[in-house]
Amino acid sequence: MQITLFSLLMSVVWSSALAVFNYICRKKHFFVRQIGVTNVLFLYLFSMARMMIPYKFSFTRVIHSKGPVSNFCRSASFHNIGTSRISFWTVLSVLWGMVSAVLILRFICQYLKAVKEFSTYRIREDDQCKKVFQQVINESKKRVKMNIRYSQYINIPMGVGIFRKSIILPDEKYSDSELYYILRHEYTHFLNHDLVLKSLIYIYGCIFWWNPVIYLIKKDLAQIMEIKCDLDVTEQMEKCSRAEYLTTIVTMLKNADENRAEKILYGTAALVSKKYELEILERFKIVSAYEHKRKSILLNGSWFMILVTLVFISYSFVFQPYYETVDVEIMTETELSNLSATYTIKCKGDIYRVYFLGS
């Protein structure tokens, strides 16, 4: 079991292909209803894990390829930089690591700054909030410790905090039903550990910043988590209650002041965002038409077998450029002693290519 440049490239190809396939299927609401939003989310996470585990195993078959790719890989192996020779792939690896470190550090600093700012917001302790929030807790399967805060600088309800959890509300008045649906939605995000998952996804995007498919995954995963939260909230609701829940989302969107900056960090969970009207419309369609029913064992079993098959296929082969062995001229000991330096490159198995550099 080892990691090579070509096993890494294959992991990128497989991960990207699975993510695009999942995105196309996910856009079909029939697929979501039949498979379930949790399985759709799991397939995205599997595609991400595939990129994080770019191993070549003992059973992996190496498929050699000739042509321009082989020529490019051979020519990119070493380049002269001053008096040193360095691999083109080493330069790319250093660049990759440096950019990733900067992006991760920037995200951490922004997140800590936002959390610090949110912690200065006032805690809401009025009777209405206490009563409604207690109702939300009583109807939930698990209790999560958090504060309810409010601020005039926030125009969209959101949840924030991985360790010190808070629900932030705009400084506005709500009816009991509106406040219930808002708190229920944000509380469900905490129950599903969505803020932790969102933060990890963002860091994952910082690591693989050079892959354009990552940005598709990040955006669609955020939408899937919102859909899953909506479905969890409305699971036991009648149609009229679902309509009230969706109406609350519309109300929050209308109340958002277009002149105020929308402070939504990726590591937070907002009820709604005014930037993504199409995504909100999709949430409405799915929640309105979704029927909560137990998935069949056969369907879930088939889906599991598909995933296992994809795992095996993705690791079963790897494409690798083919290098032809070169003829080595026999040299005398005197001729060898006149050469100032040598270096070798391992080609295949126990075969090495020896290069002699004259003075």
Side-chain angles (χ1 to χ4, degrees), residues 15 38 51 74 86 89 178 200 227 229 238 249 251 255 258 270 285 297 310 323 336 344:
S15 176
T38 301
M51 193 179 296
R74 181 167 57 249
I86 189 170
W89 307 115
E178 288 176 341
L200 292 177
I227 292 174
C229 184
E238 301 292 337
I249 294 179
T251 303
N255 290 343
E258 296 293 341
K285 290 180 179 179
I297 298 178
L310 288 175
Y323 299 102
L336 287 174
T344 60

Side-chain angles (χ1 to χ4, degrees), residues 45-83:
L45 297 180
F46 165 73
S47 68
M48 295 169 62
R50 180 61 183 89
M51 193 179 296
M52 295 291 291
I53 312 175
Y55 286 100
K56 184 175 74 171
F57 296 94
S58 57
F59 62 84
T60 303
R61 180 185 177 187
V62 177
I63 301 177
H64 293 285
S65 62
K66 300 181 180 180
V69 176
S70 283
N71 296 332
F72 172 76
C73 292
R74 181 167 57 249
S75 63
S77 296
F78 287 94
H79 290 276
N80 289 321
I81 299 181
T83 58

Side-chain angles (χ1 to χ4, degrees), residues 7 15 19 28 89 99 120 183 192 203 223 253-254 321 335 358:
S7 66
S15 176
K28 306 296 181 181
W89 307 115
V99 175
T120 62
L183 296 181
N192 293 340
I203 294 175
Q223 176 70 352
L253 186 61
K254 288 182 178 180
E335 290 174 323

Side-chain angles (χ1 to χ4, degrees), residues 58-305:
S58 57
F59 62 84
T60 303
R61 180 185 177 187
V62 177
I63 301 177
H64 293 285
S65 62
K66 300 181 180 180
V69 176
S70 283
N71 296 332
F72 172 76
C73 292
R74 181 167 57 249
S75 63
S77 296
F78 287 94
H79 290 276
N80 289 321
I81 299 181
T83 58
S84 304
R85 295 179 66 83
I86 189 170
S87 169
F88 173 73
W89 307 115
T90 301
V91 175
L92 287 184
S93 299
V94 173
L95 178 63
W96 176 9
M98 291 177 60
V99 175
S100 298
V102 170
L103 292 176
I104 293 174
L105 183 62
R106 186 183 68 172
F107 168 71
I108 294 174
C109 292
Q110 289 178 342
Y111 187 79
L112 293 177
K113 181 181 178 181
V115 170
K116 183 178 180 181
E117 178 184 345
F118 292 150
S119 65
T120 62
Y121 295 163
R122 287 179 150 186
I123 297 178
R124 184 165 174 173
E125 298 179 320
D126 57 279
D127 293 336
Q128 181 197 30
C129 186
K130 289 182 179 180
K131 182 184 69 174
V132 173
F133 189 51
Q134 188 60 48
Q135 180 184 355
V136 171
I137 294 176
N138 293 338
E139 294 177 358
S140 302
K141 299 177 181 179
K142 183 180 177 182
R143 179 160 188 164
V144 179
K145 185 179 180 180
M146 66 182 65
N147 294 318
I148 311 297
R149 300 178 181 270
Y150 68 97
S151 172
Q152 61 180 346
Y153 303 108
I154 296 296
N155 59 355
I156 297 293
M158 66 179 67
V160 62
I162 296 177
F163 301 104
R164 296 182 180 180
K165 304 175 178 62
S166 297
I167 296 177
I168 314 295
L169 302 175
D171 189 10
E172 300 174 2
K173 293 184 178 180
Y174 305 97
S175 65
D176 287 353
S177 61
E178 288 176 341
L179 187 58
Y180 169 78
Y181 292 127
I182 292 171
L183 296 181
R184 179 75 181 273
H185 179 94
E186 299 304 332
Y187 193 80
T188 302
H189 272 306
F190 285 109
L191 291 178
N192 293 340
H193 306 288
D194 287 342
L195 275 73
V196 176
L197 186 57
K198 282 188 173 185
S199 298
L200 292 177
I201 292 170
Y202 194 90
I203 294 175
Y204 177 86
C206 292
I207 296 174
F208 296 99
W209 53 268
W210 42 265
N211 186 356
V213 178
I214 291 298
Y215 301 95
L216 173 68
I217 294 176
K218 285 169 57 178
K219 182 179 179 181
D220 206 47
L221 269 173
Q223 176 70 352
I224 290 175
M225 282 186 275
E226 290 299 329
I227 292 174
K228 185 177 185 302
C229 184
D230 290 335
L231 296 178
D232 289 342
V233 171
T234 60
E235 183 175 5
Q236 304 297 332
M237 290 184 182
E238 301 292 337
K239 288 186 177 180
C240 59
S241 298
R242 289 190 196 180
E244 288 183 4
Y245 173 77
L246 296 175
T247 301
T248 300
I249 294 179
V250 174
T251 303
M252 294 301 101
L253 186 61
K254 288 182 178 180
N255 290 343
D257 187 354
E258 296 293 341
N259 297 322
R260 277 189 272 175
E262 193 175 12
K263 293 185 178 180
I264 297 181
L265 190 67
Y266 195 83
T268 63
L271 174 68
V272 65
S273 175
K274 60 189 178 185
K275 296 179 181 178
Y276 305 111
E277 285 81 2
L278 293 178
E279 283 78 0
I280 296 170
L281 180 60
E282 182 183 37
R283 288 167 59 183
F284 279 26
K285 290 180 179 179
I286 292 179
V287 172
S288 301
Y290 199 85
E291 294 183 5
H292 294 274
K293 56 183 180 180
R294 188 175 181 181
K295 303 298 179 182
S296 67
I297 298 178
L298 178 61
L299 186 62
N300 285 330
S302 300
W303 185 250
F304 176 76
M305 290 303 299

Side-chain angles (χ1 to χ4, degrees), residues 309-326:
T309 303
L310 288 175
V311 171
F312 178 77
I313 294 176
S314 68
Y315 285 106
S316 62
F317 64 93
V318 59
F319 288 102
Q320 186 168 312
Y322 175 74
Y323 299 102
E324 295 181 354
T325 58
V326 295

